[in-house]
Amino acid sequence: MLHVRSIWNGAISFGLVSIPIKVMNATESHAISFRQIHLDDGGRIRYRKVCELEDSEVSSAEIGKAYEDVDGTLIPITDEDLASLPVPTTRTIEIVAFVPAERIDPLQMDTAYYLAANGVPAAKPYILLREALKRSQKVAVAKFALRGRERLGMLRVVDDVIAMHGLLWPDEIRATDEVAPDTAVTVRDKELDLADALMDTLGEVDLEDLHDDYRQAVEELVTAKAEGHEAPTAPAGDEDGGKVLDLMAALEKSVRAAKQSREDTTGTGEDAEVTELPSRGSARTAPKEVGGKKSTSRAKKTTARKSTTKATMAKSTTAAKDPAPKTTAKKPAAKTAAKSATKKAPTKKATPRKRTSA
């Protein structure tokens, strides 16, 4: 934590309690950045800041900020102007409420920060707020000002640190009216069953095991070019790309591919643990043939076989519970001879039989 540079110093306002804190970025980007070059000679392309009135380049120390009015007029605004605003959140993270975490829409989540106690006297109130958040199982909603504007924030506990997520204001979240499909589409139960089977087969994942394949490929490309080797190329893929001609066939193929991938990963072949859907015929017995008509007919046959099996089981159960003359005439007769040899009453075997049928 000591090597992380503080980007903002202030305090957390918790009622009448003030907690001096330092704000540090909680995340870092590992993305590979590129420079712009002139294609003709490979020279760097740079941006220069030029004053339009003087037509000359200016340094960063000579650059300030201004607000552009609707008529194009520029109104200079200094850092001193912003610092003297009559807003309590200029140097304070003001907690306004404590709410359950599920009340926060993930769409509002923005940059994450770590809040560190600033000095020894701040440790006690800092730990007090941290433990209060833990015990309440809630998050704190706060307001703070950073980089020239007031923002919303959400405070929560990460390990032994209070973290703050910047939140977008509710009116900054766009409505979904124009995004959702406006075509009337009916999704069949069999399609949902296969989708469920695919989800269960893919299972869960430890996010620590995921990595940036694109960044790794770019690094290999740069290394190959730097060493004068041939650049790696992507393997030939499916020419159909993202076309889905038959949704059922695509789902069935996906389920099989996911199961095969799980088996290859675990190295246990057929003993690989694959979660199956309980009591869902089409999900548990995904057809092995790819193709709309074959898959449908086989699914119908599977359903028919299951219906026949259920009917047979139902008849067997009824026959076991119903003391029909034919049933009692055959089995007790055979059992009576065995029972007479062991000198036991024949009637006492009926109770275990009923218990077995149940």
Side-chain angles (χ1 to χ4, degrees):
M1 183 66 70
L2 295 178
H3 68 281
V4 181
R5 186 174 63 89
S6 172
I7 63 171
W8 189 87
N9 292 347
I12 299 175
S13 175
F14 177 32
L16 297 178
V17 178
S18 181
I19 310 171
I21 52 96
K22 296 184 292 184
V23 179
M24 289 154 285
N25 286 318
T27 61
E28 58 186 4
S29 175
H30 293 160
I32 297 177
S33 59
F34 296 101
R35 304 295 186 185
Q36 291 185 325
I37 61 172
H38 187 197
L39 292 178
D40 288 345
D41 53 20
R44 281 282 305 276
I45 302 297
R46 299 179 183 272
Y47 292 99
R48 291 184 171 87
K49 298 178 180 180
V50 177
C51 174
E52 293 181 351
L53 298 179
E54 298 179 358
D55 194 21
S56 60
E57 186 177 355
V58 295
S59 64
S60 298
E62 301 176 273
I63 299 175
K65 58 175 68 74
Y67 175 82
E68 185 175 4
D69 207 349
V70 290
D71 60 357
T73 303
L74 295 176
I75 304 172
I77 302 294
T78 65
D79 292 337
E80 291 75 16
D81 293 334
L82 297 175
S84 60
L85 288 174
V87 180
T89 55
T90 53
R91 282 295 170 189
T92 303
I93 299 174
E94 182 182 6
I95 295 177
V96 297
F98 292 88
V99 300
E102 56 268 21
R103 287 272 303 276
I104 305 299
D105 189 342
L107 283 174
Q108 290 184 257
M109 303 287 258
D110 201 0
T111 308
Y113 307 94
Y114 287 142
L115 308 183
N118 194 0
V120 176
K124 181 65 178 288
Y126 182 95
I127 294 175
L128 171 65
L129 175 59
R130 184 190 70 191
E131 296 304 311
L133 286 170
K134 282 183 180 179
R135 191 167 73 171
S136 68
Q137 296 184 345
K138 293 183 177 180
V139 297
V141 176
K143 295 171 68 177
F144 67 102
L146 183 64
R147 296 190 176 98
R149 69 187 188 95
E150 189 174 59
R151 306 183 180 194
L152 274 179
M154 180 191 77
L155 276 63
R156 68 184 183 98
V157 178
V158 177
D159 297 331
D160 290 330
V161 174
I162 298 176
M164 180 175 69
H165 296 267
L167 299 178
L168 299 175
W169 296 97
D171 60 1
E172 292 180 312
I173 305 297
R174 292 177 176 173
T176 60
D177 301 343
E178 299 180 0
V179 182
D182 56 1
T183 305
V185 176
T186 301
V187 178
R188 296 178 295 169
D189 288 340
K190 289 182 179 180
E191 294 169 338
L192 282 174
D193 289 343
L194 280 173
D196 288 343
L198 178 57
M199 292 168 62
D200 287 346
T201 304
L202 290 174
E204 298 182 358
V205 67
D206 186 351
L207 295 182
E208 296 292 334
D209 296 335
L210 301 179
H211 60 278
D212 189 345
D213 292 327
Y214 181 82
R215 179 167 65 95
Q216 181 179 345
V218 172
E219 290 174 349
E220 294 174 357
L221 170 64
V222 172
T223 302
K225 287 208 163 195
E227 296 177 353
H229 299 156
E230 184 179 353
T233 57
D238 189 356
E239 295 181 357
D240 291 337
K243 296 180 181 178
V244 179
L245 303 179
D246 188 327
L247 182 58
M248 288 290 290
L251 287 170
E252 291 162 5
K253 184 177 180 181
S254 300
V255 171
R256 289 199 303 275
K259 288 183 179 180
Q260 183 62 47
S261 176
R262 179 71 63 86
E263 292 173 1
D264 293 341
T265 302
T266 58
T268 55
E270 295 182 355
D271 296 330
E273 293 183 5
V274 178
T275 305
E276 300 288 358
L277 280 181
S279 68
R280 285 191 175 179
S282 56
R284 184 168 28 222
T285 57
K288 295 183 179 179
E289 293 288 340
V290 178
K293 294 184 179 179
K294 290 185 179 180
S295 302
T296 306
S297 61
R298 188 164 294 190
K300 289 182 178 179
K301 290 179 181 179
T302 303
T303 307
R305 284 199 299 270
K306 289 193 173 183
S307 301
T308 306
T309 304
K310 288 182 179 180
T312 305
M313 291 176 64
K315 289 181 180 180
S316 300
T317 305
T318 306
K321 292 183 178 180
D322 186 13
K326 291 182 179 180
T327 305
T328 55
K330 288 183 179 180
K331 293 187 178 178
K335 291 183 179 180
T336 303
K339 290 174 184 176
S340 61
T342 55
K343 295 183 180 181
K344 290 186 179 180
T347 54
K348 291 187 178 180
K349 278 290 183 176
T351 303
R353 171 162 178 76
K354 288 185 178 179
R355 210 161 33 229
T356 304
S357 300

